[in-house]
Amino acid sequence: LSSVSHDLRTPLTTIKAAVTGLLQTEVEWEEQDRQEMLEDIDSEADHLTVLVNALVELSRIEMGALTLEKEWCDAVEVFYGALAKLKRVLANRTVRTQFQAQLPLIYVDYAQLERVFYNLIENAARHSPDNTEIAIVLDTVGEEPITVRVQVIDQGVDIPEHEREHIFSSFYSQRTYGNGLGLAICKGIIDAHQGSIWVDAAEGGGSCFVFTLPTHPRPVVL
């Protein structure tokens, strides 16, 4: 908890300040200011909910209690489901996509894979300067069995090589790259799907987070 205390306190501080201001009967707020404060409360409450859910999810993963509800999914569809929830987080950053044609379906838990996309893109946005681009690349690698590969490439900090493995550990903290809560969840989910996840340096600076998922033949219906 000490590792994520700052992340938990930040939305609480914003909510408390806004509510305290609105409760001041001697202040006559302009309607626009009042609306902005209510929007801040709403947004930060959502942010806090995401953090608490992440803590609960990580505890499930570490106890081996993560249950996957698998179905045949289109990875591109899962990505766009996550992207729709990230508009405020992305702010003025651009998302560029590069998808291989005719990607095979993957047998995964849709909600959990969407969480991986969300966490990785949110992580990229948090560590990218304003007005920069985040690239999402989906393709396949290898021959039989074919593997679906996803790359999330940002223009932020270059993670030192000796740090790259550790940032996926629970609550690991390094000065330039967050607390690892979301990344630990990503690793737990990908591991549960028998996939792999890692980070490389991006060409030209920044980081390239990569995860792969195995594909499986569709079951034969008799």
Side-chain angles (χ1 to χ4, degrees):
L1 285 174
S2 63
S3 299
V4 295
S5 60
H6 174 74
D7 288 329
L8 292 169
R9 286 179 182 142
T10 299
L12 284 172
T13 300
T14 302
I15 292 169
K16 179 64 176 176
V19 171
T20 300
L22 290 171
L23 288 174
Q24 292 178 352
T25 56
E26 67 276 12
V27 178
E28 293 185 9
W29 296 102
E30 294 287 339
E31 183 57 31
Q32 182 178 350
D33 293 336
R34 180 176 174 277
Q35 184 63 31
E36 288 177 357
M37 293 171 77
L38 288 172
E39 289 175 358
D40 285 342
I41 292 170
D42 183 59
S43 174
E44 293 302 329
D46 288 343
H47 182 198
L48 194 57
T49 299
V50 169
L51 288 170
V52 172
N53 287 342
L55 286 168
V56 173
E57 198 66 27
L58 186 60
S59 70
R60 288 177 182 160
I61 291 170
E62 295 194 330
M63 289 188 299
L66 179 64
T67 302
L68 299 179
E69 298 181 5
K70 292 185 176 182
E71 58 183 317
W72 289 104
C73 297
D74 180 348
V76 173
E77 180 183 333
V78 181
F79 158 73
Y80 279 115
L83 188 65
K85 301 175 182 178
L86 284 159
K87 291 181 180 178
R88 185 180 178 92
V89 173
L90 288 168
N92 54 4
R93 298 169 188 84
T94 303
V95 174
R96 176 176 62 84
T97 59
Q98 180 181 328
F99 301 151
Q100 176 182 310
Q102 298 181 334
L103 282 168
L105 297 179
I106 48 178
Y107 194 58
V108 296
D109 185 313
Y110 186 106
Q112 296 294 353
L113 183 58
E114 184 180 86
R115 183 172 284 112
V116 172
F117 273 111
Y118 182 98
N119 286 349
L120 290 181
I121 299 171
E122 191 270 343
N123 186 73
R126 186 192 311 148
H127 296 97
S128 297
D130 290 343
N131 302 308
T132 57
E133 181 182 84
I134 297 170
I136 312 296
V137 182
L138 274 70
D139 57 12
T140 57
V141 292
E143 298 180 355
E144 293 298 334
I146 295 173
T147 299
V148 170
R149 179 177 63 181
V150 178
Q151 300 175 73
V152 179
I153 308 166
D154 64 52
Q155 299 177 23
V157 298
D158 181 6
I159 304 171
E161 189 170 352
H162 66 279
E163 298 279 0
R164 293 174 189 168
E165 182 177 351
H166 298 298
I167 64 172
F168 293 100
S169 302
S170 303
F171 306 114
Y172 179 80
S173 177
Q174 70 128 324
R175 185 173 300 174
T176 57
Y177 217 85
N179 59 49
L181 176 61
L183 297 180
I185 291 172
C186 289
K187 179 170 174 53
I189 293 171
I190 296 301
D191 285 350
H193 283 88
Q194 299 178 325
S196 300
I197 186 169
W198 67 93
V199 60
D200 292 323
E203 186 177 348
S207 299
C208 175
F209 282 83
V210 187
F211 69 87
T212 59
L213 292 168
T215 59
H216 304 280
R218 294 194 182 197
V220 177
V221 179
L222 300 178

